[in-house]
Amino acid sequence: EADIYQTPRYLVIGTGKKITLECSQTMGHDKMYWYQQDPGMELHLIHYSYGVNSTEKGDLSSESTVSRIRTEHFPLTLESARPSHTSQYLCASSIGWRTGELFFGEGSRLTVL
Amino acid sequence: AQTVTQSQPEMSVQEAETVTLSCTYDTSESDYYLFWYKQPPSRQMILVIRQEAYKQQNATENRFSVNFQKAAKSFSLKISDSQLGDAAMYFCAYRGSGGSNYKLTFGKGTLLTVNP
């Protein structure tokens, strides 16, 4: 199994709360990604990072923010959670852009009431 | 923009039999990469198989093989001797080689059920 970890796996939270989804990898990968996946739907890229101090927005607009202060750590933050943020968030990492395989975490399933 | 289409939302197969999952894609690029990922229930998504568009030979990984038809923009996955552990959601994905080559575009997935 890949050495990429996400916490929490499941989170139920009220509207307006601030939440941070943690993602860590021990493979030394430069590239890291956050995907959003609704049940039965495809994955949509919401953030990615080339490396430390580099973050970019993906294709799907998201109110979340990310940071990359250390190579191994790529947390995602929602300052004020809303029910529309209810989804599964998948973190991934890779060595390179082209043929590099993406290694995924187990996902964080967020429910905002 | 590239799109990936998986026309089979659900498929089922008997254990030990063969099943083929379909995937088509749309691109104007000549050099790109195609992937099949497997997402078991509540577990990590993992890479099943990868195909480089410049390679004419179809990729094979043990019981998994692809039928890559570049002209038809088709990339199907064949699973031989299906096992109960193959039950999962399967996603076809595309990565280009141009300026946005960071991007992996996924299809909507096919849920595979394996019947004992």
Side-chain angles (χ1 to χ4, degrees), chain A residues 2 12 23 27 29 41 44 46 48-49 53 55-57 60 69 77 79 81 87 90 99 101-102 104-105 108-109:
Chain A
V12 180
C23 176
M27 297 171 284
H29 289 170
M41 301 294 288
H44 292 286
I46 53 174
Y48 64 100
S49 168
N53 294 325
T55 60
E56 301 287 343
K57 290 191 177 295
L60 182 67
I69 298 173
T77 298
E79 291 292 335
S87 188
L90 295 174
T99 61
E101 174 185 350
L102 257 63
F104 283 87
S108 293
R109 189 170 295 279

Side-chain angles (χ1 to χ4, degrees), chain A residues 1-2 4 9 33 35 37 40-43 45 48 59 88 97-102 104-106, chain B residues 31 33 35 37 39 42-47 50 52 89 91 95 97 101-104 106-108:
Chain A
E1 294 188 353
I4 180 165
R9 291 287 312 281
Y33 316 78
Y35 284 87
Q37 182 186 27
M41 301 294 288
E42 66 266 51
L43 284 71
L45 182 68
Y48 64 100
D59 291 337
Q88 172 157 258
W97 296 119
R98 292 165 63 88
T99 61
E101 174 185 350
L102 257 63
F104 283 87
E106 292 183 297
Chain B
D31 187 21
Y33 303 84
F35 307 84
Y37 279 87
Q39 186 178 37
S42 300
R43 292 183 61 190
Q44 289 168 311
M45 185 176 297
I46 58 173
L47 179 68
R50 168 175 47 214
E52 291 89 344
M89 182 73 85
F91 290 94
R95 170 181 282 160
S97 60
N101 58 14
Y102 61 87
K103 177 182 174 181
L104 202 62
F106 287 85
K108 291 189 175 183

Side-chain angles (χ1 to χ4, degrees), chain B residues 8 44 48 52 63-64 73 78-79 82 88 100 103 109:
Chain B
Q8 307 153 316
Q44 289 168 311
V48 175
E52 291 89 344
R63 298 182 295 106
F64 298 88
K73 297 180 181 175
K78 185 171 82 170
I79 306 174
S82 297
S100 59
K103 177 182 174 181

Side-chain angles (χ1 to χ4, degrees), chain B residues 25 32-36 49-51 68 75 93-95:
Chain B
Y25 57 94
Y32 49 86
Y33 303 84
L34 296 164
F35 307 84
W36 278 99
I49 200 165
R50 168 175 47 214
Q51 175 81 42
F68 173 50
F75 182 60
Y94 169 101
R95 170 181 282 160

